[in-house]
Amino acid sequence: MSLRDLYQDVIVDHSKHPRNFHKLSQASSQGEGYNPLCGDKVVIYVKLDHGKVEDLSFEGSGCAISTASASLLTECLKSKKVSDVEVLFKKFHSLVTGEVAEELEKEPVLGKLAVFEGVQEFPARVKCATLAWHTLKSALKNNHEVVTTE
Ligand code: ZN
């Protein structure tokens, strides 16, 4: 099995069986995002504790890429520092847009989130892949605005 097939399998798995797909009753903040190009909608719930993401979850509906991205995001960012989340978002964004990512191997590493590398071949799907991240960023700011990818 090629790495590409493996990546594809992870994305399909997460889109069919999203992890942390529920409302977080003890959320300290939440963000709402919408990608009008594709119709993807996502709500991200975060529970912060001393600058750390203690727990997070999501709800919403959208295409396979947006669902898998939100699912993997909630799985991979649990117990990460808020400052690390910002670095990871930059790295993730570079990865899916195919921009030269600086120091991808440096901590914090993307790990499983790297499965979205193939998105760079489909520029129209970048917004699907990053919607959950933009929404999480808004949740961390707690600004109560609906984020759109436009
Ligand atoms: Zn989409």
PDB file of all heavy atoms in Angstrom, residues 35 38 40 63 66 125 128, ligand 1:
ATOM      1  N   ASN A  35     -18.315  27.352   4.838  1.00  0.00           N
ATOM      2  CA  ASN A  35     -17.607  27.452   3.556  1.00  0.00           C
ATOM      3  C   ASN A  35     -18.640  27.460   2.433  1.00  0.00           C
ATOM      4  O   ASN A  35     -19.092  26.406   1.992  1.00  0.00           O
ATOM      5  CB  ASN A  35     -16.652  26.259   3.415  1.00  0.00           C
ATOM      6  CG  ASN A  35     -16.001  26.197   2.039  1.00  0.00           C
ATOM      7  OD1 ASN A  35     -16.013  27.177   1.293  1.00  0.00           O
ATOM      8  ND2 ASN A  35     -15.436  25.052   1.710  1.00  0.00           N
ATOM      9  N   CYS A  38     -18.592  25.225  -0.872  1.00  0.00           N
ATOM     10  CA  CYS A  38     -18.876  23.788  -0.860  1.00  0.00           C
ATOM     11  C   CYS A  38     -20.114  23.485  -0.021  1.00  0.00           C
ATOM     12  O   CYS A  38     -20.725  22.435  -0.148  1.00  0.00           O
ATOM     13  CB  CYS A  38     -17.649  23.066  -0.314  1.00  0.00           C
ATOM     14  SG  CYS A  38     -17.746  21.295  -0.269  1.00  0.00           S
ATOM     15  N   ASP A  40     -19.977  23.533   3.353  1.00  0.00           N
ATOM     16  CA  ASP A  40     -19.523  22.920   4.612  1.00  0.00           C
ATOM     17  C   ASP A  40     -19.852  23.826   5.797  1.00  0.00           C
ATOM     18  O   ASP A  40     -19.602  25.025   5.752  1.00  0.00           O
ATOM     19  CB  ASP A  40     -18.004  22.711   4.597  1.00  0.00           C
ATOM     20  CG  ASP A  40     -17.524  21.968   3.371  1.00  0.00           C
ATOM     21  OD1 ASP A  40     -18.175  20.989   2.988  1.00  0.00           O
ATOM     22  OD2 ASP A  40     -16.494  22.387   2.812  1.00  0.00           O
ATOM     23  N   CYS A  63     -18.607  18.125   3.269  1.00  0.00           N
ATOM     24  CA  CYS A  63     -18.007  17.095   2.414  1.00  0.00           C
ATOM     25  C   CYS A  63     -17.027  16.240   3.221  1.00  0.00           C
ATOM     26  O   CYS A  63     -16.720  16.540   4.376  1.00  0.00           O
ATOM     27  CB  CYS A  63     -17.297  17.759   1.245  1.00  0.00           C
ATOM     28  SG  CYS A  63     -15.863  18.719   1.743  1.00  0.00           S
ATOM     29  N   SER A  66     -13.896  18.166   4.622  1.00  0.00           N
ATOM     30  CA  SER A  66     -14.130  19.067   5.752  1.00  0.00           C
ATOM     31  C   SER A  66     -14.438  18.272   7.023  1.00  0.00           C
ATOM     32  O   SER A  66     -13.990  18.636   8.110  1.00  0.00           O
ATOM     33  CB  SER A  66     -15.252  20.067   5.446  1.00  0.00           C
ATOM     34  OG  SER A  66     -16.502  19.427   5.389  1.00  0.00           O
ATOM     35  N   ARG A 125     -10.277  22.563  -2.849  1.00  0.00           N
ATOM     36  CA  ARG A 125     -10.627  21.889  -1.599  1.00  0.00           C
ATOM     37  C   ARG A 125      -9.852  22.420  -0.399  1.00  0.00           C
ATOM     38  O   ARG A 125     -10.071  21.962   0.726  1.00  0.00           O
ATOM     39  CB  ARG A 125     -10.385  20.378  -1.707  1.00  0.00           C
ATOM     40  CG  ARG A 125     -10.946  19.737  -2.960  1.00  0.00           C
ATOM     41  CD  ARG A 125     -12.407  20.098  -3.208  1.00  0.00           C
ATOM     42  NE  ARG A 125     -13.313  19.635  -2.168  1.00  0.00           N
ATOM     43  CZ  ARG A 125     -13.816  18.411  -2.120  1.00  0.00           C
ATOM     44  NH1 ARG A 125     -13.503  17.531  -3.018  1.00  0.00           N
ATOM     45  NH2 ARG A 125     -14.650  18.070  -1.153  1.00  0.00           N
ATOM     46  N   CYS A 128     -12.106  23.606   2.221  1.00  0.00           N
ATOM     47  CA  CYS A 128     -12.756  22.508   2.945  1.00  0.00           C
ATOM     48  C   CYS A 128     -11.830  22.011   4.060  1.00  0.00           C
ATOM     49  O   CYS A 128     -12.255  21.753   5.176  1.00  0.00           O
ATOM     50  CB  CYS A 128     -13.063  21.342   2.002  1.00  0.00           C
ATOM     51  SG  CYS A 128     -14.109  21.780   0.606  1.00  0.00           S
TER      52      CYS A 128
HETATM   53 ZN    ZN B   1     -16.103  20.850   1.316  1.00  0.00          ZN
END
